[in-house]
Amino acid sequence: MSDFTSDMKGMRTQSREAANRREYIAYFAVIFVVSLPVACITWALTAARHMRMPQKSPLRTAWSEASVITSMILSA
């Protein structure tokens, strides 16, 4: 028989990393869904005001905002 008690630390690290990843994805999804309508409205108003298309699409803007906000939340 094998003794796995000495290798339990490695197993805990992997499950903690997986939990952190799932938490990041959950927060990211919620923040992305909330920021997408705001980004669309901002994009449309900017396009109407300047009479040209903004460089970043609303999807890209919402994605970058969600990424920054999620990182800030999880680093605190």
Side-chain angles (χ1 to χ4, degrees), residues 18-36 62-76:
N20 288 343
R21 180 77 177 152
R22 285 190 303 266
E23 184 180 12
Y24 180 86
I25 291 171
Y27 276 111
F28 183 87
V30 169
I31 294 169
F32 179 73
V33 167
V34 169
S35 67
L36 189 58
W63 190 276
S64 64
E65 287 178 6
S67 176
V68 169
I69 294 170
T70 305
S71 298
M72 287 172 45
I73 288 172
L74 294 179
S75 68

Side-chain angles (χ1 to χ4, degrees), residues 1 5 7 12 14 17 23-26 31 37 47 54 56 58 61-62 64 67 71 76:
M1 291 192 85
T5 58
D7 197 27
R12 275 188 241 132
Q14 289 176 351
E17 290 172 2
E23 184 180 12
Y24 180 86
I25 291 171
I31 294 169
K56 288 175 80 175
T61 302
S64 64
S67 176
S71 298

